[in-house]
Amino acid sequence: MIPLNTSIVSGVALSKIDGEVKILLMKRVKGGFWCHVAGSIEEDETGIDAIVREFKEETQIEVSNLYNAQFLEQFYEASVHVIQLIPVFVVMCPPEQEVVLNEEHTEYKWCSLEDALELAPFPNQHAVFKHVWSYFVEKPVNTLYRVDAG
């Protein structure tokens, strides 16, 4: 049997940069790949608490417009023999959102969907970005997806 891990959350930040909606990607120190915000749910935290904290820690973004992306990232992590199931959130940032990275990342870019797909190495990242773009950029955001960020 392969165990499931549901103790991680991830989030995609969107902001209008120079008049166009962009996705925030950051380059991880560990592994050197481009990614969106993600991290572990700590003891006594909800998934919502964890994603708000992770955005603050990794980017200094204060989350106020938070949405359930209605998407689960899922992949097999061979190094620990676990299937990861990760709920995805979307953070709608104000235009020209500033980013201050912590020590987990070396650089960041606000990307078009095409640029994000080119930079991100994993197929599941591509699926997340395409889903978020479809439901949060190309269509009006469904208010039912809104969650209270506390």
Side-chain angles (χ1 to χ4, degrees):
M1 180 190 308
I2 301 173
L4 297 177
N5 180 13
T6 59
S7 64
I8 300 172
V9 292
S10 75
V12 176
L14 298 175
S15 178
K16 274 198 174 177
I17 306 295
D18 298 326
E20 293 183 32
V21 176
K22 303 280 179 136
I23 296 173
L24 176 64
L25 289 188
M26 303 164 302
K27 192 170 189 180
R28 279 213 181 271
V29 170
K30 184 179 176 182
F33 60 88
W34 289 91
C35 61
H36 48 293
V37 172
S40 296
I41 301 169
E42 295 179 356
E43 191 174 328
D44 298 326
E45 274 187 328
T46 66
I48 293 167
D49 295 336
I51 199 60
V52 169
R53 177 184 48 76
E54 288 290 341
F55 263 96
K56 180 69 173 163
E57 288 177 2
E58 293 186 19
T59 67
Q60 292 298 304
I61 292 174
E62 296 282 348
V63 173
S64 58
N65 292 314
L66 183 65
Y67 295 85
N68 178 342
Q70 304 293 317
F71 194 90
L72 289 175
E73 284 186 79
Q74 50 191 338
F75 61 91
Y76 174 67
E77 191 170 359
S79 64
V80 290
H81 185 62
V82 166
I83 294 174
Q84 300 285 356
L85 292 177
I86 303 169
V88 179
F89 294 89
V90 174
V91 175
M92 303 296 276
C93 299
E96 311 302 329
Q97 174 68 57
E98 290 187 35
V99 175
V100 177
L101 296 177
N102 69 0
E103 69 284 350
E104 296 176 53
H105 305 94
T106 58
E107 59 185 298
Y108 74 91
K109 292 182 183 182
W110 286 103
C111 302
S112 66
L113 175 60
E114 294 75 22
D115 290 343
L117 296 176
E118 189 171 312
L119 285 173
F122 301 110
N124 282 300
Q125 289 174 302
H126 297 181
V128 168
F129 300 155
K130 288 176 183 177
H131 175 85
V132 167
W133 199 264
S134 176
Y135 286 91
F136 292 86
V137 178
E138 293 176 341
K139 298 175 184 159
V141 179
N142 189 325
T143 57
L144 295 174
Y145 303 163
R146 180 79 189 245
V147 296
D148 183 8

